[in-house]
Protein backbone atom coordinates (compact mmCIF):
# COMPACT_ATOMS: atom_id res chain seq x y z
CA UNK A 1 0.00 0.00 0.00
CA UNK A 2 1.31 3.44 -0.92
CA UNK A 3 2.34 5.86 1.80
CA UNK A 4 4.01 9.25 2.09
CA UNK A 5 7.38 9.25 3.84
CA UNK A 6 8.96 12.46 5.19
CA UNK A 7 12.24 13.37 3.51
CA UNK A 8 14.91 14.57 5.99
CA UNK A 9 17.22 17.49 5.24
CA UNK A 10 20.03 15.28 3.94
CA UNK A 11 17.54 13.53 1.70
CA UNK A 12 16.46 16.89 0.27
CA UNK A 13 20.11 17.73 -0.40
CA UNK A 14 20.59 14.40 -2.20
CA UNK A 15 17.39 14.99 -4.16
CA UNK A 16 18.57 18.45 -5.21
CA UNK A 17 21.74 16.90 -6.64
CA UNK A 18 19.56 14.67 -8.82
CA UNK A 19 17.75 17.75 -10.13
CA UNK A 20 20.94 19.75 -10.51
CA UNK A 21 22.19 17.21 -13.04
CA UNK A 22 19.13 18.04 -15.16
CA UNK A 23 19.39 21.83 -14.75
CA UNK A 24 18.22 23.92 -16.56
CA UNK A 25 16.06 21.40 -18.43
CA UNK A 26 14.13 20.41 -15.30
CA UNK A 27 14.71 23.43 -13.13
CA UNK A 28 11.55 24.21 -11.15
CA UNK A 29 12.12 21.26 -8.82
CA UNK A 30 15.75 22.33 -8.41
CA UNK A 31 14.77 25.87 -7.38
CA UNK A 32 12.08 24.69 -4.97
CA UNK A 33 14.47 22.30 -3.24
CA UNK A 34 17.26 24.88 -3.12
CA UNK A 35 15.03 27.46 -1.45
CA UNK A 36 13.78 25.21 1.32
CA UNK A 37 17.20 23.63 1.91
CA UNK A 38 18.58 27.14 2.42
CA UNK A 39 15.85 27.94 4.92
CA UNK A 40 16.31 24.69 6.82
CA UNK A 41 20.12 24.92 6.89
CA UNK A 42 19.87 28.43 8.34
CA UNK A 43 17.47 27.01 10.95
CA UNK A 44 14.85 29.54 9.98
CA UNK A 45 11.36 29.02 11.30
CA UNK A 46 9.54 27.15 8.55
CA UNK A 47 5.90 26.82 9.57
CA UNK A 48 3.94 23.75 8.49
CA UNK A 49 6.64 22.48 6.13
CA UNK A 50 6.53 18.87 4.96
CA UNK A 51 8.55 17.20 2.21
CA UNK A 52 7.41 13.75 1.13
CA UNK A 53 8.52 10.90 -1.07
CA UNK A 54 6.32 8.04 -2.21
CA UNK A 55 7.13 4.94 -0.17
CA UNK A 56 10.52 6.36 0.79
CA UNK A 57 11.83 6.32 -2.79
CA UNK A 58 12.79 9.56 -4.53
CA UNK A 59 15.42 8.11 -6.87
CA UNK A 60 13.38 9.20 -9.91
CA UNK A 61 13.03 12.75 -8.57
CA UNK A 62 9.45 12.32 -7.37
CA UNK A 63 8.64 14.48 -4.35
CA UNK A 64 5.86 16.59 -2.89
CA UNK A 65 6.33 19.63 -0.65
CA UNK A 66 3.51 21.17 1.35
CA UNK A 67 4.41 24.52 2.88
CA UNK A 68 1.60 26.31 4.67
CA UNK A 69 -0.89 26.39 1.79
CA UNK A 70 1.63 26.23 -1.05
CA UNK A 71 1.97 22.95 -2.89
CA UNK A 72 4.94 21.80 -4.97
CA UNK A 73 5.11 18.36 -6.53
CA UNK A 74 7.59 17.30 -9.21
CA UNK A 75 9.16 14.29 -10.86
CA UNK A 76 11.91 13.56 -13.38
CA UNK A 77 10.16 10.37 -14.44
CA UNK A 78 8.47 10.63 -17.84
CA UNK A 79 5.82 8.36 -16.39
CA UNK A 80 4.19 10.77 -13.92
CA UNK A 81 2.00 8.15 -12.25
CA UNK A 82 4.13 8.07 -9.08
CA UNK A 83 3.69 11.81 -8.68
CA UNK A 84 -0.07 11.43 -9.11
CA UNK A 85 -0.15 8.67 -6.49
CA UNK A 86 1.83 10.81 -4.04
CA UNK A 87 -0.44 13.81 -4.55
CA UNK A 88 -3.53 11.71 -3.94
CA UNK A 89 -2.19 10.73 -0.50
CA UNK A 90 -2.03 14.34 0.71
CA UNK A 91 -4.43 15.30 3.47
CA UNK A 92 -5.29 18.86 2.48
CA UNK A 93 -7.11 21.15 4.88
CA UNK A 94 -10.62 21.47 3.50
CA UNK A 95 -11.02 24.96 4.96
CA UNK A 96 -8.05 26.50 3.13
CA UNK A 97 -7.13 27.78 -0.29
CA UNK A 98 -4.01 26.25 -1.84
CA UNK A 99 -1.79 27.23 -4.73
CA UNK A 100 0.09 24.59 -6.68
CA UNK A 101 3.06 25.51 -8.89
CA UNK A 102 4.15 23.08 -11.63
CA UNK A 103 5.49 22.75 -15.17
CA UNK A 104 4.43 21.01 -18.39
CA UNK A 105 6.16 17.78 -17.36
CA UNK A 106 3.99 17.48 -14.24
CA UNK A 107 0.74 18.91 -15.58
CA UNK A 108 -0.91 15.61 -16.50
CA UNK A 109 -0.29 14.24 -13.00
CA UNK A 110 -1.68 17.40 -11.43
CA UNK A 111 -4.91 17.24 -13.40
CA UNK A 112 -5.30 13.50 -12.79
CA UNK A 113 -4.94 14.20 -9.06
CA UNK A 114 -7.52 17.00 -9.24
CA UNK A 115 -10.05 14.82 -11.06
CA UNK A 116 -9.46 11.73 -8.93
CA UNK A 117 -9.89 13.65 -5.66
CA UNK A 118 -12.73 15.77 -7.09
CA UNK A 119 -10.95 18.96 -6.12
CA UNK A 120 -12.53 22.30 -6.97
CA UNK A 121 -10.11 24.65 -8.69
CA UNK A 122 -9.99 28.13 -10.17
CA UNK A 123 -7.63 30.17 -12.33
CA UNK A 124 -4.90 28.05 -13.84
CA UNK A 125 -2.43 30.79 -14.74
CA UNK A 126 0.40 30.40 -17.24
CA UNK A 127 3.75 32.15 -16.88
CA UNK A 128 6.86 32.22 -19.02
CA UNK A 129 9.58 30.52 -16.97
CA UNK A 130 13.04 32.10 -17.20
CA UNK A 131 16.42 31.06 -15.87
CA UNK A 132 19.73 32.90 -15.57
CA UNK A 133 23.07 31.13 -15.44
CA UNK A 134 25.27 32.09 -12.47
CA UNK A 135 28.05 33.01 -14.91
CA UNK A 136 25.90 35.61 -16.66
CA UNK A 137 24.36 36.78 -13.40
CA UNK A 138 27.73 37.49 -11.83
CA UNK A 139 28.70 39.69 -14.80
CA UNK A 140 25.64 41.95 -14.55
CA UNK A 141 26.57 45.60 -14.19
CA UNK A 142 24.05 47.29 -11.90
CA UNK A 143 23.45 50.90 -12.99
CA UNK A 144 23.72 53.76 -10.49
CA UNK A 145 20.54 54.31 -8.53
CA UNK A 146 18.81 57.51 -9.70
CA UNK A 147 19.32 60.46 -7.41
CA UNK A 148 16.78 60.79 -4.64
CA UNK A 149 16.30 57.06 -4.01
CA UNK A 150 17.77 54.61 -1.54
CA UNK A 151 17.71 50.80 -1.82
CA UNK A 152 16.98 48.67 1.24
CA UNK A 153 15.02 45.66 2.42
CA UNK A 154 11.28 46.20 2.09
CA UNK A 155 9.88 47.47 5.37
CA UNK A 156 7.14 45.33 6.88
CA UNK A 157 5.00 48.41 7.43
CA UNK A 158 4.81 48.81 3.63
CA UNK A 159 3.58 45.28 2.92
CA UNK A 160 -0.11 46.25 2.71
CA UNK A 161 0.78 48.49 -0.24
CA UNK A 162 2.90 45.77 -1.85
CA UNK A 163 0.12 43.24 -1.38
CA UNK A 164 -2.55 45.55 -2.78
CA UNK A 165 -0.52 46.11 -5.97
CA UNK A 166 0.03 42.37 -6.48
CA UNK A 167 -2.19 41.11 -9.30
CA UNK A 168 -2.28 37.60 -7.81
CA UNK A 169 -3.03 38.48 -4.20
CA UNK A 170 -5.51 36.38 -2.25
CA UNK A 171 -7.07 36.40 1.23
CA UNK A 172 -4.26 36.70 3.80
CA UNK A 173 -1.55 36.74 1.12
CA UNK A 174 0.15 39.47 3.12
CA UNK A 175 1.20 36.75 5.59
CA UNK A 176 3.14 35.06 2.80
CA UNK A 177 4.88 38.33 1.94
CA UNK A 178 6.04 38.72 5.54
CA UNK A 179 7.98 35.45 5.31
CA UNK A 180 9.38 36.32 1.89
CA UNK A 181 10.89 39.64 2.97
CA UNK A 182 12.34 38.02 6.10
CA UNK A 183 13.87 34.98 4.41
CA UNK A 184 14.48 35.72 0.72
CA UNK A 185 16.20 38.40 -1.33
CA UNK A 186 14.12 41.53 -1.85
CA UNK A 187 14.72 45.19 -2.59
CA UNK A 188 12.60 48.24 -1.90
CA UNK A 189 13.43 51.62 -3.41
CA UNK A 190 12.53 54.50 -1.12
CA UNK A 191 12.45 58.23 -1.69
CA UNK A 192 14.30 60.58 0.63
CA UNK A 193 10.99 61.23 2.38
CA UNK A 194 10.54 57.50 3.05
CA UNK A 195 7.91 56.66 0.42
CA UNK A 196 8.17 53.23 -1.17
CA UNK A 197 8.51 53.85 -4.91
CA UNK A 198 9.32 50.41 -6.34
CA UNK A 199 10.10 46.88 -5.21
CA UNK A 200 10.97 43.32 -6.16
CA UNK A 201 10.78 40.03 -4.19
CA UNK A 202 11.75 36.39 -4.63
CA UNK A 203 9.26 33.55 -4.27
CA UNK A 204 9.69 30.28 -2.33
CA UNK A 205 10.39 28.49 -5.61
CA UNK A 206 13.29 30.80 -6.39
CA UNK A 207 11.71 33.12 -8.93
CA UNK A 208 12.39 36.84 -9.01
CA UNK A 209 8.89 38.26 -9.02
CA UNK A 210 6.44 41.00 -8.08
CA UNK A 211 8.62 43.63 -9.79
CA UNK A 212 6.59 46.82 -9.52
CA UNK A 213 7.20 50.53 -10.02
CA UNK A 214 4.49 52.93 -8.87
CA UNK A 215 3.01 55.18 -11.54
CA UNK A 216 4.57 58.40 -10.23
CA UNK A 217 8.08 56.93 -10.45
CA UNK A 218 8.10 55.27 -13.85
CA UNK A 219 10.43 56.07 -16.77
CA UNK A 220 13.39 56.57 -14.44
CA UNK A 221 15.00 53.17 -14.92
CA UNK A 222 13.88 51.83 -11.55
CA UNK A 223 12.52 48.57 -12.97
CA UNK A 224 15.79 47.80 -14.76
CA UNK A 225 17.76 48.71 -11.65
CA UNK A 226 15.71 46.34 -9.48
CA UNK A 227 15.90 43.43 -11.93
CA UNK A 228 19.67 43.76 -12.32
CA UNK A 229 20.37 44.39 -8.64
CA UNK A 230 18.46 41.39 -7.30
CA UNK A 231 19.70 39.07 -10.07
CA UNK A 232 23.32 39.97 -9.39
CA UNK A 233 22.78 39.69 -5.64
CA UNK A 234 21.52 36.13 -6.10
CA UNK A 235 24.38 35.20 -8.45
CA UNK A 236 27.08 36.75 -6.25
CA UNK A 237 25.83 34.61 -3.36
CA UNK A 238 26.25 31.49 -5.50
CA UNK A 239 22.55 31.21 -6.27
CA UNK A 240 20.59 30.46 -9.41
CA UNK A 241 18.14 33.18 -10.45
CA UNK A 242 14.89 32.50 -12.25
CA UNK A 243 11.75 34.40 -13.11
CA UNK A 244 8.06 33.96 -13.88
CA UNK A 245 6.33 36.56 -16.03
CA UNK A 246 2.97 36.66 -17.78
CA UNK A 247 3.37 36.64 -21.56
CA UNK A 248 1.38 39.86 -21.92
CA UNK A 249 3.72 41.72 -19.54
CA UNK A 250 5.90 42.93 -22.38
CA UNK A 251 7.91 45.43 -20.33
CA UNK A 252 9.07 42.88 -17.74
CA UNK A 253 9.79 40.29 -20.43
CA UNK A 254 12.01 42.77 -22.27
CA UNK A 255 13.84 43.68 -19.07
CA UNK A 256 14.58 40.08 -18.12
CA UNK A 257 15.66 39.07 -21.61
CA UNK A 258 17.94 42.10 -21.92
CA UNK A 259 19.71 41.06 -18.71
CA UNK A 260 20.42 37.58 -20.04
CA UNK A 261 17.54 35.46 -18.76
CA UNK A 262 16.57 32.63 -21.10
CA UNK A 263 13.11 31.16 -21.61
CA UNK A 264 12.63 27.62 -20.38
CA UNK A 265 9.02 26.70 -21.00
CA UNK A 266 5.85 27.40 -19.05
CA UNK A 267 5.14 27.38 -15.34
CA UNK A 268 1.56 26.96 -14.17
CA UNK A 269 -0.15 28.01 -10.98
CA UNK A 270 -3.58 26.74 -10.04
CA UNK A 271 -5.84 27.70 -7.15
CA UNK A 272 -7.34 24.87 -5.13
CA UNK A 273 -10.50 26.08 -3.42
CA UNK A 274 -11.77 25.06 0.03
CA UNK A 275 -14.02 22.04 0.11
CA UNK A 276 -15.76 23.58 3.13
CA UNK A 277 -17.61 26.93 2.95
CA UNK A 278 -16.34 28.06 6.37
CA UNK A 279 -12.89 29.17 5.19
CA UNK A 280 -12.12 32.88 5.25
CA UNK A 281 -8.80 32.80 3.44
CA UNK A 282 -5.29 31.56 3.10
CA UNK A 283 -1.92 31.60 4.83
Amino acid sequence: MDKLVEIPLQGLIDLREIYKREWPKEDIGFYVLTNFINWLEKKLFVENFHAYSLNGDYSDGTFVILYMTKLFGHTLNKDTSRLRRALCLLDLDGTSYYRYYYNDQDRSAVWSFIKEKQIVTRNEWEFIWYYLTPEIGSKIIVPPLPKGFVAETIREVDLPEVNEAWLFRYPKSIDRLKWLIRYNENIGLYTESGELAAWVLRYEFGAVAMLHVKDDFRRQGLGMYLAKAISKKIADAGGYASGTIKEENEVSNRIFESIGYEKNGIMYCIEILPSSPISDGNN
Side-chain angles (χ1 to χ4, degrees):
M1 180 180 294
D2 285 338
K3 64 178 180 179
L4 293 176
V5 178
E6 288 263 9
I7 305 175
L9 176 56
Q10 185 56 53
L12 293 175
I13 294 172
D14 295 340
L15 184 55
R16 179 179 60 181
E17 289 305 306
I18 296 174
Y19 272 85
K20 190 174 182 179
R21 292 197 293 266
E22 301 294 328
W23 186 89
K25 180 182 177 183
E26 301 291 350
D27 60 350
I28 295 181
F30 171 73
Y31 287 110
V32 170
L33 291 165
T34 297
N35 180 86
F36 287 109
I37 288 169
N38 287 343
W39 287 10
L40 293 169
E41 286 184 331
K42 294 176 182 176
K43 300 188 183 304
L44 300 174
F45 174 67
V46 184
E47 183 180 7
N48 297 325
F49 171 82
H50 298 281
Y52 298 110
S53 67
L54 181 66
N55 303 322
D57 178 13
Y58 48 82
S59 59
D60 65 349
T62 300
F63 73 93
V64 175
I65 286 179
L66 189 59
Y67 165 61
M68 299 177 73
T69 51
K70 307 299 167 293
L71 181 58
F72 308 93
H74 304 281
T75 186
L76 295 175
N77 196 328
K78 292 182 179 179
D79 178 359
T80 60
S81 60
R82 294 191 72 246
L83 175 59
R84 175 192 58 78
R85 285 156 53 196
L87 290 169
C88 288
L89 292 172
L90 288 172
D91 183 19
L92 300 181
D93 179 1
T95 66
S96 293
Y97 291 79
Y98 288 85
R99 286 193 175 181
Y100 186 171
Y101 302 87
Y102 51 95
N103 58 15
D104 272 325
Q105 157 80 4
D106 305 318
R107 193 166 183 239
S108 62
V110 173
W111 277 102
S112 294
F113 152 65
I114 288 170
K115 292 176 182 177
E116 185 170 335
K117 302 295 286 187
Q118 297 183 323
I119 291 172
V120 180
T121 64
R122 178 179 64 187
N123 295 330
E124 186 189 41
W125 293 295
E126 294 185 15
F127 301 86
I128 297 174
W129 179 259
Y130 287 97
Y131 74 94
L132 182 72
T133 67
E135 294 76 17
I136 292 178
S138 63
K139 295 177 182 177
I140 291 174
I141 298 175
V142 181
L145 189 59
K147 188 176 180 180
F149 296 96
V150 61
E152 60 181 76
T153 298
I154 298 171
R155 302 168 189 168
E156 192 164 314
V157 68
D158 292 313
L159 285 182
E161 181 177 14
V162 174
N163 186 62
E164 184 63 27
W166 187 25
L167 181 62
F168 303 103
R169 66 183 180 276
Y170 49 83
K172 296 187 179 180
S173 57
I174 194 170
D175 293 341
R176 178 186 183 187
L177 303 187
K178 289 178 182 178
W179 293 112
L180 291 181
I181 66 167
R182 291 173 186 172
Y183 289 177
N184 279 359
E185 296 88 346
N186 67 91
I187 302 173
L189 298 183
Y190 287 86
T191 66
E192 293 175 342
S193 64
E195 180 183 356
L196 179 61
W199 57 84
V200 65
L201 291 84
R202 194 182 189 199
Y203 286 147
E204 303 93 338
F205 50 92
V208 172
M210 297 180 66
L211 176 63
H212 183 81
V213 180
K214 290 163 63 174
D215 290 345
D216 291 345
F217 301 99
R218 293 183 177 175
R219 301 188 181 279
Q220 299 185 59
L222 300 186
M224 180 65 77
Y225 174 88
L226 286 170
K228 286 188 171 182
I230 195 169
S231 299
K232 183 169 177 57
K233 184 176 183 180
I234 293 168
D236 286 349
Y240 292 69
S242 62
T244 56
I245 305 173
K246 293 287 287 181
E247 184 175 7
E248 57 267 30
N249 189 342
E250 296 179 359
V251 173
S252 290
N253 281 299
R254 284 199 301 269
I255 288 175
F256 273 65
E257 290 173 19
S258 71
I259 292 173
Y261 281 83
E262 297 184 44
K263 293 181 180 179
N264 196 26
I266 300 296
M267 190 205 75
Y268 299 90
C269 173
I270 195 166
E271 290 184 295
I272 295 176
L273 301 182
S275 57
S276 168
I278 64 173
S279 174
D280 65 351
N282 196 350
N283 288 318

